[in-house]
Amino acid sequence: VDEFMRVERLVRLAGLPRAKLRSAPSASTKSLEEGLRDEKLDFWTAPQSLAILQRRSKRSDRLDDLKVAGFIGEDSNGGLAAREPEKLAESDRDMLAEENKDRALLIGAYQKLRNAGVKGEVLPQEGILSLREAFSQSQRRLDDPGFWQMGPDGSWYKKQP
Protein backbone atom coordinates (compact mmCIF):
# COMPACT_ATOMS: atom_id res chain seq x y z
CA VAL A 1 0.00 0.00 0.00
CA ASP A 2 2.83 2.42 0.85
CA GLU A 3 4.39 2.16 -2.60
CA PHE A 4 1.05 2.72 -4.33
CA MET A 5 0.46 5.76 -2.09
CA ARG A 6 3.84 7.28 -2.97
CA VAL A 7 3.19 6.78 -6.69
CA GLU A 8 -0.36 8.16 -6.50
CA ARG A 9 0.76 11.31 -4.67
CA LEU A 10 3.20 11.99 -7.51
CA VAL A 11 0.57 11.28 -10.17
CA ARG A 12 -1.89 13.68 -8.55
CA LEU A 13 0.70 16.44 -8.07
CA ALA A 14 1.85 16.12 -11.68
CA GLY A 15 -1.77 16.44 -12.85
CA LEU A 16 -2.51 19.66 -11.00
CA PRO A 17 -2.81 22.85 -13.01
CA ARG A 18 -0.12 25.37 -12.11
CA ALA A 19 -2.55 27.55 -10.09
CA LYS A 20 -3.47 24.64 -7.84
CA LEU A 21 0.12 23.38 -7.72
CA ARG A 22 1.30 26.58 -6.05
CA SER A 23 -1.15 26.06 -3.21
CA ALA A 24 -0.62 22.31 -2.85
CA PRO A 25 1.39 21.16 0.16
CA SER A 26 4.77 19.72 -0.82
CA ALA A 27 4.20 20.90 -4.39
CA SER A 28 7.06 20.41 -6.77
CA THR A 29 7.85 21.58 -10.25
CA LYS A 30 9.54 18.25 -11.02
CA SER A 31 8.15 16.11 -13.77
CA LEU A 32 6.36 12.90 -12.89
CA GLU A 33 9.34 10.88 -14.11
CA GLU A 34 11.81 12.93 -12.02
CA GLY A 35 9.66 12.48 -8.94
CA LEU A 36 9.44 8.72 -9.46
CA ARG A 37 13.22 8.45 -9.90
CA ASP A 38 13.86 10.59 -6.80
CA GLU A 39 11.57 8.33 -4.79
CA LYS A 40 13.48 5.29 -6.15
CA LEU A 41 10.30 3.87 -7.67
CA ASP A 42 12.18 2.38 -10.60
CA PHE A 43 9.46 -0.03 -11.78
CA TRP A 44 7.15 2.90 -12.38
CA THR A 45 9.65 4.63 -14.70
CA ALA A 46 9.64 1.74 -17.20
CA PRO A 47 8.23 3.08 -20.51
CA GLN A 48 4.91 1.22 -20.30
CA SER A 49 4.29 2.13 -16.65
CA LEU A 50 5.35 5.73 -17.12
CA ALA A 51 3.03 6.16 -20.13
CA ILE A 52 0.09 4.89 -18.07
CA LEU A 53 0.94 7.15 -15.14
CA GLN A 54 1.28 10.17 -17.44
CA ARG A 55 -2.15 9.51 -18.97
CA ARG A 56 -3.62 9.18 -15.48
CA SER A 57 -1.92 12.37 -14.38
CA LYS A 58 -3.55 14.30 -17.24
CA ARG A 59 -6.98 13.09 -16.11
CA SER A 60 -6.50 13.53 -12.37
CA ASP A 61 -7.67 17.14 -12.06
CA ARG A 62 -10.93 16.52 -13.95
CA LEU A 63 -11.56 13.31 -12.01
CA ASP A 64 -11.06 15.21 -8.75
CA ASP A 65 -13.61 17.79 -9.94
CA LEU A 66 -16.10 14.96 -10.53
CA LYS A 67 -15.36 13.57 -7.06
CA VAL A 68 -15.92 16.98 -5.46
CA ALA A 69 -19.26 17.22 -7.30
CA GLY A 70 -20.20 13.78 -5.95
CA PHE A 71 -20.70 12.23 -9.39
CA ILE A 72 -17.99 9.58 -9.01
CA GLY A 73 -16.18 7.77 -6.22
CA GLU A 74 -13.71 5.02 -5.48
CA ASP A 75 -15.21 1.55 -5.74
CA SER A 76 -14.03 -1.34 -3.58
CA ASN A 77 -11.92 -2.98 -6.34
CA GLY A 78 -9.42 -0.24 -7.13
CA GLY A 79 -11.54 1.44 -9.77
CA LEU A 80 -13.74 4.49 -10.06
CA ALA A 81 -17.51 4.21 -10.35
CA ALA A 82 -20.19 6.67 -11.37
CA ARG A 83 -22.65 7.37 -8.56
CA GLU A 84 -24.99 9.18 -10.92
CA PRO A 85 -24.12 8.06 -14.46
CA GLU A 86 -26.97 10.07 -15.97
CA LYS A 87 -25.36 13.30 -14.75
CA LEU A 88 -22.03 12.58 -16.42
CA ALA A 89 -21.23 13.93 -19.86
CA GLU A 90 -20.31 11.26 -22.40
CA SER A 91 -16.72 12.55 -22.40
CA ASP A 92 -16.58 12.09 -18.61
CA ARG A 93 -17.97 8.55 -18.88
CA ASP A 94 -15.29 7.80 -21.49
CA MET A 95 -12.62 9.28 -19.21
CA LEU A 96 -13.84 7.11 -16.34
CA ALA A 97 -13.56 4.00 -18.54
CA GLU A 98 -10.05 5.02 -19.65
CA GLU A 99 -8.99 5.57 -16.03
CA ASN A 100 -10.27 2.17 -14.97
CA LYS A 101 -8.53 0.52 -17.92
CA ASP A 102 -5.23 2.17 -16.99
CA ARG A 103 -5.62 1.19 -13.34
CA ALA A 104 -6.14 -2.44 -14.38
CA LEU A 105 -3.09 -2.25 -16.65
CA LEU A 106 -0.95 -0.94 -13.78
CA ILE A 107 -2.10 -3.68 -11.43
CA GLY A 108 -1.32 -6.27 -14.12
CA ALA A 109 2.12 -4.81 -14.78
CA TYR A 110 2.89 -4.76 -11.07
CA GLN A 111 1.78 -8.39 -10.86
CA LYS A 112 4.32 -9.28 -13.56
CA LEU A 113 7.05 -7.48 -11.61
CA ARG A 114 6.21 -9.47 -8.48
CA ASN A 115 6.20 -12.70 -10.49
CA ALA A 116 9.59 -11.98 -12.05
CA GLY A 117 11.42 -13.11 -8.94
CA VAL A 118 9.38 -16.29 -8.53
CA LYS A 119 10.86 -18.49 -11.30
CA GLY A 120 8.12 -17.83 -13.82
CA GLU A 121 5.28 -18.77 -11.47
CA VAL A 122 2.09 -16.82 -11.95
CA LEU A 123 0.60 -14.93 -9.04
CA PRO A 124 -2.60 -16.74 -8.02
CA GLN A 125 -5.94 -14.98 -8.34
CA GLU A 126 -5.84 -14.26 -4.60
CA GLY A 127 -2.59 -12.34 -5.17
CA ILE A 128 -4.16 -10.20 -7.88
CA LEU A 129 -7.06 -9.46 -5.56
CA SER A 130 -4.67 -8.41 -2.81
CA LEU A 131 -2.91 -6.06 -5.26
CA ARG A 132 -6.28 -4.55 -6.17
CA GLU A 133 -7.12 -4.20 -2.50
CA ALA A 134 -3.77 -2.46 -1.84
CA PHE A 135 -4.34 -0.13 -4.79
CA SER A 136 -7.89 0.55 -3.63
CA GLN A 137 -6.68 1.34 -0.10
CA SER A 138 -4.11 3.79 -1.45
CA GLN A 139 -6.78 5.58 -3.50
CA ARG A 140 -9.17 5.76 -0.55
CA ARG A 141 -6.51 7.10 1.80
CA LEU A 142 -5.62 9.87 -0.64
CA ASP A 143 -9.26 10.91 -1.10
CA ASP A 144 -10.32 14.06 0.69
CA PRO A 145 -12.92 13.83 3.46
CA GLY A 146 -16.39 14.10 1.94
CA PHE A 147 -15.49 12.18 -1.22
CA TRP A 148 -17.76 9.24 -1.96
CA GLN A 149 -16.46 5.70 -1.56
CA MET A 150 -18.13 2.37 -2.19
CA GLY A 151 -18.17 -0.31 0.47
CA PRO A 152 -17.64 -4.02 -0.28
CA ASP A 153 -21.43 -4.49 -0.28
CA GLY A 154 -21.87 -1.87 -3.04
CA SER A 155 -23.31 0.84 -0.80
CA TRP A 156 -21.96 4.39 -0.98
CA TYR A 157 -20.68 6.45 1.96
CA LYS A 158 -18.75 9.69 2.37
CA LYS A 159 -15.20 9.50 3.65
CA GLN A 160 -14.97 10.87 7.16
CA PRO A 161 -12.20 13.22 8.34
Side-chain angles (χ1 to χ4, degrees), residues 28-63:
S28 170
T29 57
K30 292 181 182 178
S31 72
L32 176 59
E33 186 173 8
E34 290 170 327
L36 291 166
R37 288 194 197 289
D38 287 353
E39 290 284 324
K40 301 198 179 354
L41 296 165
D42 297 330
F43 161 74
W44 303 100
T45 60
Q48 178 187 7
S49 299
L50 187 58
I52 294 168
L53 293 176
Q54 288 171 333
R55 287 193 306 266
R56 293 189 59 231
S57 177
K58 289 177 184 173
R59 291 190 290 263
S60 67
D61 193 51
R62 177 63 184 150
L63 292 172

Side-chain angles (χ1 to χ4, degrees), residues 17-133:
R18 291 290 160 218
K20 286 186 180 178
L21 189 58
R22 281 191 278 281
S23 64
S26 71
S28 170
T29 57
K30 292 181 182 178
S31 72
L32 176 59
E33 186 173 8
E34 290 170 327
L36 291 166
R37 288 194 197 289
D38 287 353
E39 290 284 324
K40 301 198 179 354
L41 296 165
D42 297 330
F43 161 74
W44 303 100
T45 60
Q48 178 187 7
S49 299
L50 187 58
I52 294 168
L53 293 176
Q54 288 171 333
R55 287 193 306 266
R56 293 189 59 231
S57 177
K58 289 177 184 173
R59 291 190 290 263
S60 67
D61 193 51
R62 177 63 184 150
L63 292 172
D64 275 349
D65 289 345
L66 293 172
K67 283 183 174 185
V68 167
F71 296 147
I72 66 171
E74 294 291 334
D75 70 18
S76 58
N77 295 314
L80 287 171
R83 291 188 58 249
E84 303 179 60
E86 67 281 356
K87 292 186 178 180
L88 289 178
E90 185 176 346
S91 60
D92 289 332
R93 286 192 300 270
D94 292 345
M95 183 186 309
L96 196 63
E98 291 167 10
E99 176 68 11
N100 285 332
K101 179 181 174 186
D102 279 344
R103 288 180 178 203
L105 288 171
L106 277 180
I107 291 167
Y110 198 70
Q111 172 200 358
K112 288 179 185 175
L113 171 74
R114 288 184 50 177
N115 286 344
V118 191
K119 300 179 185 173
E121 294 179 24
V122 176
L123 194 65
Q125 187 64 27
E126 301 82 40
I128 296 170
L129 292 176
S130 67
L131 284 176
R132 283 190 187 161
E133 289 168 4

Side-chain angles (χ1 to χ4, degrees), residues 3-27:
E3 184 170 344
F4 283 131
M5 295 247 332
R6 289 169 46 212
V7 170
E8 286 304 308
R9 279 191 190 103
L10 292 168
V11 166
R12 290 178 185 204
L13 277 176
L16 288 175
R18 291 290 160 218
K20 286 186 180 178
L21 189 58
R22 281 191 278 281
S23 64
S26 71

